[in-house]
Amino acid sequence: MFLQFLFRIHTSEIKYHSILNQLKQYMRHKQLPLPMQKRLVDYYEYRYRGSYFRENTIFPTISDRLRKDMTIYVCMNLIKKVPILKDLPPSVNAHIVPSLRQEVFLPNDIIVKAGTTGDCMYFIHCGTVAVYTPTGKEICHLQDGGYFGEMGLIAKDCKRIANVVAIETTEVYRLDRKYFNSHMRTLPDLYKKLERIADRRRENTLVMEEIHRKHILEKTMRMMDDR
């Protein structure tokens, strides 16, 4: 059994390096710019961490119960980090966690763009993001355990009011509105909490955006007067 385990590890490492070599050949063939090549390699190295496996192939082969238990176990650290999830009863988290989808963003990737329609929210597992008003005023940084985009869950066809950009390689879990709505009856307290947070953040963002717009206008007027 131990030898089989070592063989599987060795095989996954070989597959990983094979995929990475194919990626590099593809990038050279397409003559992609070096910065883009580096970002692609960085993504693969972070995503697979030296071992290649097909999660989409593994998951369908196990029972629904095992799949749910595995997902909850993998996401347990996330639940402990995120206050609004940590405070929920385990039975509620058992409904939410299987609906979470992992995503990885590299430095300077735009995760949320102001003005676009939101249909999900994000929980930060590890990494750092910066939140900006539409005109570029930095509002704050969010790190492990932070979350953003909650308006995408509680308001249909709602426009995003801020830009969220990854400062470093950031791993997040996305919760889509369609999954959230399917469990709405079991999540009334979470809905109310998200609504309060969204209202507070929206008000803060709008105030900072108005101040920044006035600052830009005043600066432009001074530059025109100096001519």
Side-chain angles (χ1 to χ4, degrees):
M1 291 294 291
F2 181 68
L3 289 176
Q4 289 179 343
F5 176 71
L6 290 178
F7 176 75
R8 288 185 189 127
I9 293 176
H10 183 61
T11 301
S12 67
E13 290 175 351
I14 291 175
K15 287 182 179 179
Y16 168 76
H17 289 294
S18 174
I19 291 292
L20 205 56
N21 286 333
Q22 290 179 44
L23 174 65
K24 291 176 180 178
Q25 291 174 19
Y26 174 82
M27 293 188 298
R28 285 196 295 269
H29 176 70
K30 292 296 184 180
Q31 298 182 337
L32 298 180
L34 290 178
M36 185 179 293
Q37 290 188 35
K38 184 179 184 308
R39 288 173 65 79
L40 282 167
V41 171
D42 287 347
Y43 176 85
Y44 267 81
E45 287 181 344
Y46 183 89
R47 180 68 179 82
Y48 295 106
R49 294 176 173 87
S51 296
Y52 180 75
F53 54 88
R54 294 174 181 266
E55 193 170 88
N56 291 338
T57 302
I58 297 170
F59 261 43
T61 64
I62 59 179
S63 68
D64 290 342
R65 178 64 188 180
L66 272 175
R67 188 158 54 244
K68 180 181 286 189
D69 288 346
M70 281 178 59
T71 305
I72 291 173
Y73 178 81
V74 170
C75 293
M76 193 56 66
N77 285 334
L78 173 72
I79 292 173
K80 291 177 181 177
K81 290 178 182 177
V82 181
I84 60 171
L85 295 182
K86 183 176 65 175
D87 296 338
L88 293 175
S91 58
V92 175
N93 275 322
H95 284 296
I96 296 177
V97 167
S99 303
L100 297 175
R101 296 294 177 265
Q102 182 193 41
E103 293 187 8
V104 175
F105 294 93
L106 300 176
N108 300 317
D109 279 353
I110 299 174
I111 305 174
V112 166
K113 187 174 178 61
T116 59
T117 302
D119 61 357
C120 64
M121 75 173 294
Y122 297 89
F123 303 98
I124 303 174
H125 185 230
C126 57
T128 307
V129 303
V131 184
Y132 301 93
T133 68
T135 54
K137 174 66 176 177
E138 185 175 294
I139 301 173
C140 65
H141 285 185
L142 299 174
Q143 296 176 312
D144 301 13
Y147 50 90
F148 54 92
E150 58 281 340
M151 279 299 296
L153 291 188
I154 62 178
K156 187 178 179 181
D157 299 325
C158 178
K159 298 293 184 182
R160 303 285 195 190
I161 61 170
N163 296 308
V164 181
V165 181
I167 293 180
E168 59 182 337
T169 301
T170 301
E171 184 177 335
V172 302
Y173 281 85
R174 188 187 78 240
L175 177 60
D176 294 330
R177 186 196 299 120
K178 62 180 180 180
Y179 296 115
F180 181 75
N181 286 345
S182 66
H183 300 300
M184 188 74 75
R185 292 180 181 177
T186 62
L187 307 172
D189 292 338
L190 177 60
Y191 182 88
K192 291 176 182 177
K193 187 177 291 187
L194 287 175
E195 198 171 35
R196 289 194 298 271
I197 293 169
D199 287 342
R200 186 172 66 248
R201 286 181 168 181
R202 181 173 60 244
E203 184 178 347
N204 183 49
T205 300
L206 292 175
V207 169
M208 293 189 71
E209 173 70 348
E210 182 62 24
I211 293 173
H212 194 233
R213 284 181 182 276
K214 288 181 179 179
H215 175 73
I216 293 174
L217 180 60
E218 291 170 359
K219 186 176 180 180
T220 302
M221 295 298 292
R222 285 197 301 270
M223 289 175 64
M224 293 177 65
D225 291 341
D226 291 340
R227 291 180 179 178

